[in-house]
Amino acid sequence: MTQATTTSLSRVAYLRSALAATGSGLLKAFNANKTSWVGLGVFLIVAALAILAPWIAPYDPLDQNILFRLKPPSAEHWFGTDYYGRDTLSRILWGARISLAIGLLAIGSAMLLGTLIGMIAGYYGGRTDIIIMQIMDVLLAFPSLILGLIVVAMLGPSIANLVIAIALTAIPPFARIARAPTIAVKNREFIEAGRALGYSDTRLMFGHILPNIAPEILVMGSLWLATAIRVEASLAFIGLGVAPPTATWGGMIREGFENILDSFWLALFPSIAILIVVFALNLLGDGLRDAIDPRLRGEE
């Protein structure tokens, strides 16, 4: 076996060890605060409904029937129908697929890039830290919705551009949340011991520092996922979301707002869907935060 192959296998083993340590820490954090499980359970139920939408939605979300337009909730249409006679419940289920997919892709990308950027800035420090964090400060100067609006207005409304816009707004917070604990951890004894043994910077950052800061990153991820869903809905509401007739929660609220006085359910039910998901993610994030913060647990 060549030295390169041995080194590659060694790196894989270290990554597996780091992932195992991270998973163990997250499970401990979940068990320490049952609120996290409640939030996770509600979110998984919503995600399952979105995934199963093609099979459980009672109607085609694009199927129009002008004879049944603006019908109130009934046994035939549980959440009523919209201006074109489309079933609101079916559109909410299908809209969940778009809204959750955009949020998960955007925050997943921001989490990976932001964590990497923050770890590099915190680990190397000096001029590298100053330059990186000044760039992040410039991005942080723009409110999330405004920055997303600028990006989508420049690139055009599409799923890919929405993911880019929302991810760009979320990278700086992840970079900051990863940088601070990286600075604290990099000077601890076990990191110094790793350096003395000749461990590479990559191995130290991803094999030893990352598992120690992963719970904080996850807390930020759950909270920012809620923000991403709200930003996507806000952009869709002002006409910069996925183009109709594709169902999205924000787009449905926009359409319902035009008939809010006569057909309030058109805006009410997608708003409740957003509320449930955001509430669940905040429960998840708050529970994890309480579990991993020693001060909130009353520990020394």
Side-chain angles (χ1 to χ4, degrees):
M1 185 178 294
T2 64
Q3 184 177 359
T5 304
T6 304
T7 303
S8 178
L9 292 175
S10 178
R11 289 177 179 175
V12 171
Y14 290 134
L15 287 175
R16 289 179 178 175
S17 177
L19 291 174
T22 301
S24 177
L26 295 178
L27 182 60
K28 182 179 179 181
F30 269 71
N31 290 331
N33 192 313
K34 304 304 181 185
T35 306
S36 301
W37 286 112
V38 175
L40 180 62
V42 174
F43 177 74
L44 290 178
I45 290 174
V46 175
L49 291 175
I51 294 172
L52 297 174
W55 297 277
I56 64 176
Y59 299 93
D60 187 324
L62 303 180
D63 188 18
Q64 300 181 17
N65 188 341
I66 200 66
L67 298 178
F68 288 91
R69 71 185 188 93
L70 299 180
K71 290 293 184 180
S74 63
E76 187 175 1
H77 299 280
W78 289 5
F79 289 179
T81 61
D82 65 6
Y83 186 79
Y84 299 98
R86 298 173 297 195
D87 183 65
T88 302
L89 173 59
S90 300
R91 290 181 63 77
I92 287 177
L93 292 173
W94 278 89
R97 297 166 67 90
I98 301 295
S99 298
L100 293 182
I102 290 175
L104 288 170
L105 287 173
I107 297 307
S109 302
M111 186 184 298
L112 292 175
L113 292 175
T115 300
L116 178 60
I117 291 171
M119 289 178 64
I120 291 174
Y123 186 83
Y124 291 105
R127 183 174 298 178
T128 301
D129 185 21
I130 294 173
I131 294 175
I132 289 177
M133 297 320 297
Q134 284 182 346
I135 295 174
M136 294 298 103
D137 288 341
V138 171
L139 294 176
L140 281 171
F142 294 90
S144 301
L145 180 58
I146 300 300
L147 184 58
L149 190 153
I150 293 172
V151 175
V152 174
M154 291 175 58
L155 300 178
S158 68
I159 293 179
N161 293 340
L162 283 170
V163 170
I164 293 173
I166 296 173
L168 188 61
T169 67
I171 287 175
F174 280 107
R176 282 198 165 275
I177 203 67
R179 171 182 175 269
T182 298
I183 293 174
V185 173
K186 74 174 184 178
N187 294 320
R188 294 179 63 178
E189 291 80 2
F190 67 93
I191 299 297
E192 294 295 339
R195 291 196 185 98
L197 292 172
Y199 291 175
S200 66
D201 292 341
T202 302
R203 178 174 175 179
L204 290 173
M205 283 194 290
F206 293 99
H208 299 276
I209 295 178
L210 182 59
N212 284 278
I213 69 174
E216 299 178 40
I217 301 299
L218 182 67
V219 172
M220 178 65 73
S222 64
L223 296 175
W224 265 89
L225 179 55
T227 301
I229 292 173
R230 289 191 290 106
V231 170
E232 185 276 331
S234 300
L235 291 173
F237 183 79
I238 61 178
L240 291 176
V242 180
T246 303
T248 65
W249 289 344
M252 293 180 67
I253 295 174
R254 173 187 172 87
E255 294 170 1
F257 187 76
E258 299 174 358
N259 300 279
I260 191 68
L261 297 179
D262 299 325
S263 308
F264 65 90
W265 58 86
L266 296 181
L268 175 63
F269 289 117
S271 299
I272 291 176
I274 295 175
L275 175 64
I276 290 173
V277 173
V278 171
F279 181 69
L281 290 171
N282 278 281
L283 278 181
L284 175 60
D286 288 344
L288 286 175
R289 181 201 59 193
D290 295 347
I292 68 174
D293 193 335
R295 293 171 298 179
L296 297 176
R297 296 200 307 264
E299 298 177 8
E300 295 297 331

